[in-house]
Amino acid sequence: MPVFSRRLRPWLLALPLAFAVAGLARAETVARYGISMADIPLTTGQPDRGAGAYQFTGHTLYDPLIAWEANIGTRPGKLVPGLATEWKVDAKDNKVWRFALRKGVKFHDGSDFKADAVVWNLDKVLNDKSPQFDAKQSAQVRPRIPSVASYRKVDDYTVEIITKDVDALFPYQLPWFLVGSPAQWEKLGRDWGKVASQPSGTGPFKLDKLVPRERAELVKNAGYWDKSRIPKTDRIVLVPIPDAVTRTNALLNGQVDIIETPPPDMLPQLKKSGFRIVQNVTPHVWPYHFSTAPDSPWADIRVRKAANLAIDRNAIVQLLGGQAVPAKGQIDPGSPWFGKPSFDLKYDVAAARALMAQAGYSQAKPLKAKIIIAQGGTGQMLSLPMNEYIQQSLAEVNIQVQFEVVELENLYVHWRAGAKSDMNAGKGITAINLGYVTADPFYALTRFAYGRYVAPNGVNWGGYDDPQVNAAIDKVRTSFDTREQDKQLALVHQKMVDDALMLWVVHDTNPHALSPKVKSFVQAQHWFQDLTTIGM
């Protein structure tokens, strides 16, 4: 059993007793949620630990200007008003966006939400000269909102944001920018360390208790402005349990009520014991992102294609107990942005070996590469078993990969730095394995393929810079006609696949396992899940 699991066990064993005692004092409903992270994500306003963290300490405690629907299971979610009731681009200058802010909203500390708070929060992550600037939060969100050039308050309930260029996809960036209380920061002595344990957002939950690496307790915000998202549970306790087996045993033993990503080989036991497994179509892909730098072993397209042909994706789906579907690219073939790529991501070892031979590699002279991966964490599925399978598969076509295994947040530091950075290229790292959210055009495609977003200006990690793709993305960004956008996005994805920009493996289905005590939970067709839907 991992060391972390042994440390966690005594506290887990104490959970049922602790909540039994609490139950005598107050009749509140409590849901204990075993999450796959090694620690509670940052609570100060912009969560760390990747996109999946937003569902735990992001969209629970805080709200964005524009939100994603994450409480619908029967169709993909869409952008909906959040703290902004409407937004529109200026007809004369398409770089200018105006946001009408929601009136009557209060932060958890009782202060009013107004335009000053939006500007203050933008300064917090984008203006390193502002007193409230927080490098930790900035590192999380700056790459997610690369289009922002400037911003200003128009009046108490109107904010103007100017983008660097015309960018019709800009609204898709804003669900990642969350708004916290300036008054609370002042009250706590301008100390982000204190804010972490006493944060104040406008979200459907408030933070009641935080014990790093142990638990976070969220309580219902009964006065939440969106009455359709008042939490169904009084208290949700987030328990970090990164080991999948330990997490599942905690569920089986009654120490938690809901977990994410149970291990496939324990699904029969869970079902037999009366636990419910829920999953759904998820806009998420699990790839290796290659460096395309001239000195990278992946710079040769034949090598990148060979790697894609070496993987039996159906076998990986079986390894995952059916909790995934084989990838044919960055997005599903049913998407209007898929296009008509000529390169088919199929399993063909002979073709892969032939490509490697053309590139000058053989069993006697294999290609060698170092890839950085995570030991686990949300979005990483079963990181180590899957990576070991891929390592063996690549070896069969004369590609020998060595892994550098790091904790998830460390992996994100390497990701934001880009392939050419000293921490990557300087250590011989030429590919990175991360799960990517693919819910919208910006998050699925343009942030990875646009030459202007090469890291550190964005998260085009590998440095891909293709004139044809850049031209298509320019058209997407300057057109407010969705049909024209779809046409150009299809060309972008088609080129990404034909260039084998990544080694795409599977799209996962984001499975959760629920105790019979859980009476309601909407598994959304999104990477975000709305914890207000959990009912006990």
Side-chain angles (χ1 to χ4, degrees):
M1 179 179 292
V3 173
F4 181 83
S5 303
R6 291 199 296 271
R7 290 205 310 269
L8 185 65
R9 183 187 283 178
W11 187 81
L12 280 173
L13 292 174
L15 262 177
L17 176 61
F19 284 107
V21 172
L24 296 174
R26 56 189 179 186
E28 70 172 0
T29 54
V30 180
R32 300 158 301 173
Y33 194 151
I35 67 175
S36 64
M37 298 177 173
D39 197 0
I40 299 298
L42 201 62
T43 56
T44 45
Q46 294 295 156
D48 58 358
R49 301 184 175 273
Y54 275 70
Q55 65 193 310
F56 299 128
T57 59
H59 296 148
T60 47
L61 304 174
Y62 302 92
D63 289 304
L65 295 176
I66 301 174
W68 272 111
E69 278 183 313
N71 55 1
I72 305 292
T74 55
R75 59 168 173 77
K78 60 180 185 292
L79 292 181
V80 293
L83 291 175
T85 55
E86 63 178 347
W87 54 94
K88 58 184 177 181
V89 68
D90 187 283
K92 295 181 179 179
D93 184 351
N94 288 171
K95 292 190 290 186
V96 177
W97 293 79
R98 292 187 184 88
F99 299 83
L101 304 183
R102 192 174 297 277
K103 297 179 180 179
V105 176
K106 288 187 178 293
F107 289 103
H108 298 156
D109 60 80
S111 61
D112 292 327
F113 163 73
K114 292 183 179 180
D116 286 329
V118 176
V119 172
W120 186 91
N121 277 269
L122 285 165
D123 277 341
K124 175 188 73 174
V125 295
L126 296 178
N127 179 7
D128 61 7
K129 300 296 188 294
S130 66
Q132 69 270 27
F133 179 78
D134 183 22
K136 284 186 179 179
Q137 294 186 68
S138 177
Q140 305 309 318
V141 75
R142 184 188 288 268
R144 300 184 189 276
I145 52 173
S147 293
V148 178
S150 62
Y151 39 87
R152 70 181 185 94
K153 168 187 173 181
V154 177
D155 57 44
D156 279 350
Y157 291 99
T158 309
V159 168
E160 188 175 272
I161 299 179
I162 295 89
T163 56
K164 296 170 184 174
D165 306 289
V166 176
D167 187 358
L169 301 183
F170 178 58
Y172 290 109
Q173 298 179 21
L174 289 178
W176 303 92
F177 166 67
L178 305 178
V179 181
S181 167
Q184 185 74 344
W185 181 74
E186 292 284 356
K187 176 184 174 182
L188 295 175
R190 299 187 167 194
D191 187 335
W192 284 115
K194 292 180 180 178
V195 173
S197 58
Q198 301 177 65
S200 177
T202 61
F205 290 94
K206 302 177 182 180
L207 182 68
D208 184 54
K209 185 177 293 185
L210 174 66
V211 183
R213 291 192 174 270
E214 189 174 294
R215 73 188 187 277
E217 299 189 21
L218 314 179
V219 294
K220 175 166 64 177
N221 178 12
Y224 185 51
W225 59 267
D226 185 350
K227 302 309 176 186
S228 69
R229 290 188 64 229
I230 298 293
K232 291 181 168 55
T233 299
D234 295 323
R235 180 180 297 265
I236 290 181
V237 183
L238 303 175
V239 185
I241 316 176
D243 180 72
V245 173
T246 305
R247 192 164 60 248
T248 304
N249 282 330
L251 179 66
L252 287 165
N253 296 331
Q255 295 153 347
V256 295
D257 306 300
I258 178 173
I259 64 170
E260 55 177 348
T261 53
D265 57 359
M266 295 186 75
L267 292 178
Q269 182 182 0
L270 284 167
K271 293 175 181 177
K272 186 177 180 180
S273 301
F275 294 86
R276 186 159 56 101
I277 309 299
V278 295
Q279 53 190 341
N280 208 337
V281 176
T282 304
H284 194 259
V285 67
W286 197 85
Y288 283 16
H289 197 156
F290 298 129
S291 167
T292 55
D295 58 348
S296 166
W298 311 104
D300 190 326
I301 190 173
R302 295 170 296 188
V303 172
R304 300 196 301 270
K305 285 187 172 182
N308 273 285
L309 295 172
I311 307 303
D312 185 347
R313 293 167 179 80
N314 289 319
I316 292 181
V317 170
Q318 290 179 359
L319 174 68
L320 294 170
Q323 300 174 81
V325 294
K328 286 289 187 180
Q330 182 80 346
I331 51 181
D332 185 80
S335 169
W337 316 321
F338 189 81
K340 298 178 180 179
S342 58
F343 179 51
D344 183 16
L345 274 60
K346 59 185 177 181
Y347 180 44
D348 191 336
V349 173
R353 286 176 178 161
L355 283 169
M356 291 301 292
Q358 292 173 24
Y361 298 100
S362 63
Q363 189 172 4
K365 182 192 171 186
L367 177 143
K368 296 182 179 181
K370 183 188 287 188
I371 300 173
I372 188 167
I373 68 172
Q375 62 189 19
T378 186
Q380 289 302 289
M381 305 178 71
L382 300 180
S383 180
L384 297 183
M386 292 171 70
N387 275 298
E388 288 169 1
Y389 183 95
I390 289 170
Q391 183 181 46
Q392 294 167 10
S393 299
L394 293 176
E396 292 181 8
V397 301
N398 305 317
I399 300 175
Q400 291 184 1
V401 298
Q402 170 192 351
F403 292 134
E404 177 152 339
V405 185
V406 298
E407 199 270 333
L408 182 62
E409 186 54 29
N410 189 357
L411 188 70
Y412 278 105
V413 173
H414 282 264
W415 179 57
R416 289 189 291 267
K420 294 181 181 179
S421 66
D422 287 342
M423 71 170 60
N424 289 308
K427 298 178 68 176
I429 294 167
T430 57
I432 190 168
N433 171 226
L434 267 174
Y436 286 152
V437 176
T438 58
D440 63 73
F442 173 69
Y443 257 70
L445 303 174
T446 63
R447 64 176 179 154
F448 300 122
Y450 199 30
R452 293 190 180 187
Y453 291 160
V454 172
N457 298 322
V459 291
N460 179 346
W461 185 84
Y464 184 71
D465 192 358
D466 180 273
Q468 182 182 348
V469 169
N470 291 340
I473 293 175
D474 284 338
K475 291 179 182 177
V476 171
R477 284 160 51 87
T478 55
S479 173
F480 292 82
D481 180 342
T482 56
R483 289 175 298 180
E484 178 63 21
Q485 288 180 353
D486 288 350
K487 175 184 174 183
Q488 298 301 326
L489 289 164
L491 292 175
V492 171
H493 184 259
Q494 179 175 309
K495 191 72 163 56
M496 288 172 66
V497 175
D498 284 342
D499 283 352
L501 181 59
M502 304 181 196
L503 166 50
W504 293 284
V505 185
V506 292
H507 303 288
D508 57 306
T509 58
N510 199 12
H512 290 70
L514 282 58
S515 157
K517 294 180 182 179
V518 180
K519 302 305 180 186
S520 68
F521 173 62
V522 175
Q523 174 89 15
Q525 290 188 27
H526 206 286
W527 189 240
F528 297 146
Q529 300 298 319
D530 188 346
L531 272 57
T532 69
T533 69
I534 299 174
M536 304 298 287

